[in-house]
Amino acid sequence: MKQGTLIETSYQEASDLQLRSDALNGNTKALDQLIRNHYAFIYNVALKMVLDPNDAEDVTQEIVIKIITHLGKFQGRSSFRTWLYRIVVNHILTLKKMHCEYIVQDFDQYARELNQMPDHDFPFQDSETPESQQILEEIKLSCTAGMLMCLDREQRLVYTLGGIFEVDHNLGAEILDITPANFRQKLSRARKQLHSFMHNQCSLVNPSNPCKCAKKTKAFIDSGVVDPNHLVYRSHFTRRIEQILEKDHHKMEKELDTMTQSLYQNAPYQESEAFKKKLLDLIDSKRFQDTLDFGRES
């Protein structure tokens, strides 16, 4: 099977290394391009981990600043991208407990809350209009994001990398500084837990389940979880995750969680031009440049 992954085969290590070298020599355009190459992946991983788009932007900005200020410390013991992703992973794993982690604690608590939400008819006149379909997708994205939050932080990160973005287990192990066998074991455990919950709760995975997006739409809106006038989970994207994975769909192995995995891979791959501009403006600002310390070149 051709491994589907965001670690694309078209990636050129030499290009990033040249950009790094030029950036260390004061070339701000090279620094901008280096960040452009990676900011979307960092943001999309952060979004899966912290749930809230604003929090994900804050985490991404913190990570990007950390990457920039440590550029001179890259020693070439791994690929540059592996080094960069390790910074991403370590930062996320050491974050203080986030707001979303207080709201969604585990599968049992999440199931209770979903089951306590009253069922209603779909609150808009026609469920087939484009606007209604967008709201229904927002409900689906919000609810499945909550399900992902039921995994503990390390499991959530492993599933995000290995289950959603299909990072190879050898690379995943290198990024997390564990053995490939340990990465596969952690990924398998996360897959089984998430699939088991969704198979018993979610009608998107098992149509016989009574918990249906259309029936829960009014409750999600009334509780403020989803604002039909301000959709956040399906904004700022032109592609879905599955569209940027290098995957041979005719030779895909049948995994235990094929349906579960496909739901997450069908989610938008967020690439906000406004956030990218904000990030690059920060990097290019005189205040940031004046305080910049790339670290000691090794």
Side-chain angles (χ1 to χ4, degrees):
M1 179 183 73
K2 184 177 180 181
Q3 178 67 36
T5 179
L6 277 176
I7 314 299
E8 300 178 21
T9 55
S10 59
Y11 172 73
Q12 298 294 321
E13 174 82 4
S15 175
D16 265 2
L17 290 176
Q18 185 61 58
L19 289 171
R20 169 188 173 270
S21 177
D22 292 346
L24 289 171
N25 287 322
N27 186 328
T28 56
K29 289 184 178 179
L31 183 61
D32 280 3
Q33 187 58 54
L34 188 62
I35 298 309
R36 288 174 187 270
N37 289 350
H38 298 285
Y39 95 94
F41 177 75
I42 297 170
Y43 175 76
N44 279 274
V45 171
L47 184 59
K48 294 290 183 292
M49 296 300 298
V50 303
L51 198 61
D52 181 84
N54 292 322
D55 287 343
E57 288 189 6
D58 291 341
V59 170
T60 300
Q61 181 172 298
E62 292 167 5
I63 291 171
V64 165
I65 291 173
K66 186 174 290 187
I67 289 168
I68 292 171
T69 56
H70 285 75
L71 274 180
K73 297 181 180 180
F74 173 67
Q75 297 178 332
R77 294 173 182 169
S78 66
S79 73
F80 177 77
R81 186 168 41 181
T82 299
W83 172 84
L84 185 150
Y85 289 168
R86 192 174 289 135
I87 291 177
V88 176
V89 163
N90 289 338
H91 185 85
I92 288 173
L93 288 177
T94 56
L95 284 172
K96 66 179 182 180
K97 192 170 183 178
M98 303 296 291
H99 176 66
C100 57
E101 292 172 314
Y102 289 100
I103 296 175
V104 182
Q105 298 172 16
D106 55 42
F107 288 113
D108 289 340
Q109 175 252 346
Y110 196 60
R112 285 194 301 272
E113 293 199 0
L114 286 174
N115 294 333
Q116 288 169 4
M117 282 184 171
D119 288 343
H120 295 280
D121 290 337
F122 188 69
F124 302 95
Q125 186 172 10
D126 185 354
S127 64
E128 298 303 320
T129 65
E131 293 78 14
S132 293
Q133 288 298 305
Q134 290 174 6
I135 293 170
L136 274 172
E137 184 176 24
E138 184 82 356
I139 299 294
K140 178 188 75 174
L141 293 169
S142 175
C143 192
T144 53
M147 294 175 189
L148 190 62
M149 289 300 303
C150 296
L151 296 170
D152 68 41
R153 189 180 289 185
E154 184 185 51
Q155 286 182 307
R156 191 159 70 251
L157 183 56
V158 168
Y159 188 80
T160 296
L161 293 175
I164 299 175
F165 296 140
E166 297 194 11
V167 169
D168 176 77
H169 62 271
N170 290 307
L171 179 57
E174 190 176 359
I175 292 171
L176 286 165
D177 196 23
I178 57 179
T179 66
N182 197 5
F183 183 85
R184 288 194 300 270
Q185 182 182 57
K186 290 176 183 292
L187 177 57
S188 176
R189 186 180 301 120
R191 276 176 164 161
K192 288 177 180 176
Q193 290 184 15
L194 192 58
H195 173 78
S196 176
F197 176 81
M198 295 182 79
H199 181 76
N200 291 301
Q201 179 74 38
C202 179
S203 62
L204 295 171
V205 171
N206 181 356
S208 66
N209 288 321
C211 191
K212 301 184 185 299
C213 296
K215 293 291 186 181
K216 298 295 184 183
T217 297
K218 186 176 187 303
F220 268 79
I221 292 173
D222 289 347
S223 65
V225 174
V226 168
D227 179 353
N229 298 312
H230 182 58
L231 305 181
V232 296
Y233 291 106
R234 64 175 317 281
S235 61
H236 307 307
F237 79 101
T238 57
R239 301 176 292 172
R240 297 182 184 274
I241 293 172
E242 63 186 5
Q243 294 175 305
I244 56 176
L245 297 177
E246 295 182 340
K247 184 178 291 194
D248 187 338
H249 290 280
H250 297 291
K251 296 183 179 179
M252 283 182 63
E253 294 177 359
K254 294 298 182 182
E255 302 280 0
L256 170 68
D257 66 336
T258 298
M259 188 60 192
T260 303
Q261 184 181 33
S262 69
L263 283 173
Y264 288 103
Q265 292 180 339
N266 187 246
Y269 186 68
Q270 307 279 6
E271 298 175 271
S272 169
E273 288 298 318
F275 175 56
K276 179 168 67 175
K277 183 179 185 303
K278 174 183 173 182
L279 199 59
L280 295 176
D281 285 348
L282 169 67
I283 294 168
D284 293 339
S285 67
K286 185 176 186 301
R287 181 179 179 185
F288 182 77
Q289 292 292 328
D290 287 346
T291 61
L292 191 59
D293 177 10
F294 284 116
R296 181 176 59 83
E297 177 80 76
S298 300

